[in-house]
Structures are given as C-alpha cells and as structure tokens.
Amino acid sequence: AKEKARVRAQELAAELIKTYAKRQVAEGTAFPPQPEWDPMVEKNFPFRLTPDQATSVTDVLTDMERTIPMDRLISGDVGFGKTEVAIRAALRAVANGHQVAMLVPTTVLAKQHYDTFAARVEGLPVNVALLSRFTSDAAARAAIQGLADGTVDVVVGTHRLLNESVRYKNLGLLIIDEEHRFGVGQKEKLKALRANLDVLSLSATPIPRT
C-alpha cells in the first residue's frame, strides 16, 4: 500500500509539473488597469485595507496585467479579508470585459460569498448570480443563460459550475475557495476548465506548493 501511495504521489507531482509548465508558456489574457473603474472599486467598502490585504491586492493585480495565466494562492485565517482581495480581482476582470466564476465547496459558503459580492457591487454595472442547490430552477436557468450570453458578469457557485451545461461567453478569471475540499473528479474538471484562465485560489488552510 505504501509503495502504491508513493507511486501515485510521484504521478501527481509529474501531472502538476506538466500542468504548470503548459500554463507558463500558454498565452493568457492581460487585464490592464481601468482608470474609470478604479475609483468605483472602493465603493461600498467601508473599511481600510490592511497592509497584508493591500500587498495581496497589488500582487494579484500585477499578475493579472501579465499575459501569462495567473496562478496565485491567497492563504489566511477566516476573517482576514481574503474575499475582498478576490472581489478586487473580479472587478478588474469585469472592467476588462471578462466574466468571473467563483467556485466554493458548500452551498452555505456559496450564499455567503454571493451576498458579499452583491453588496460590494451594488450601484455598479455588474451582474452577480448564484448557482447552487439553493438556487431555484428558474433562477438557475436564468443564470446559465446569462453566463452563455454574457449578461452575467460574476457567478458564485458550488460544483454545479462544473456541469457541462454551464457555458461561458468570455470567462477570464476563476476563483477557487478551499480547493482541497473538492473531490478528485471535480479537480479533473477544474484542470480542464482552468487551461488559459487566470486562477486565484483562497484557503484558510496553509497549503505548501513547491
């Protein structure tokens, strides 16, 4: 059993190396600053960014300005403000005409993130949708249609986002919360989805990445 586990670990490591190597040479999308949007990003944010938040936002947005697909992990305890970093990244993508998908492991967390996003973009030309088992059939159909025709800018959801029926008109940023809580099959679908996308992972659990 130990030998099988060792071999499997080596195989996974090799797969990771191949995936990251492909992404490093892949042509991604650059998301340059949008001066008209920058002041609006501060709207509805009642606090001042902490030094760590400000550094994280700068690092993420700098990555997004490059044509190499971003693959960044933001790690911090609950309440440290990871979601605000994600919102800043999402608004940068939307400002550049791209859609954003935020994938979370549970329906409760999906609703929490949806409410946070919706409150932050109130009054802005940003349409946020929720897609989970809490979503009614009518609302789910509207969200899926909106993702396909581009009228939905940001979608927050559970593994339903990985369903083959969900198509995006112009997806540019994938945000994954607590990726380690997804199953093997779901991660395989994630691997296919994230091909040339900018990817931002959030975790309250320290994850060593080498």
Side-chain angles (χ1 to χ4, degrees), residues 121-141:
V121 303
E122 184 178 359
L124 300 178
V126 180
N127 185 15
V128 183
L130 173 66
L131 196 58
S132 73
R133 65 183 177 86
F134 286 165
T135 309
S136 68
D137 290 342
R141 285 194 297 270

Side-chain angles (χ1 to χ4, degrees), residues 9 22 35 49 95 129 135-136 154 178 181:
K22 288 179 180 178
L49 290 176
T135 309
S136 68
V154 180
E178 302 295 343
R181 294 177 61 181

Side-chain angles (χ1 to χ4, degrees), residues 11-65:
E11 291 174 348
L12 288 173
E15 290 173 8
L16 280 173
I17 291 172
K18 290 179 182 178
T19 298
Y20 284 103
K22 288 179 180 178
R23 284 175 59 79
Q24 285 299 307
V25 298
E27 183 69 21
T29 302
F31 298 101
Q34 298 292 323
E36 293 183 2
W37 274 75
D38 287 345
M40 293 193 292
V41 172
E42 303 294 335
K43 185 178 175 64
N44 302 330
F45 185 60
F47 310 104
R48 181 176 297 176
L49 290 176
T50 67
D52 285 343
Q53 277 182 310
T55 298
S56 296
V57 168
T58 298
D59 289 344
V60 168
L61 296 185
T62 298
D63 277 357
M64 292 180 70
E65 291 171 18

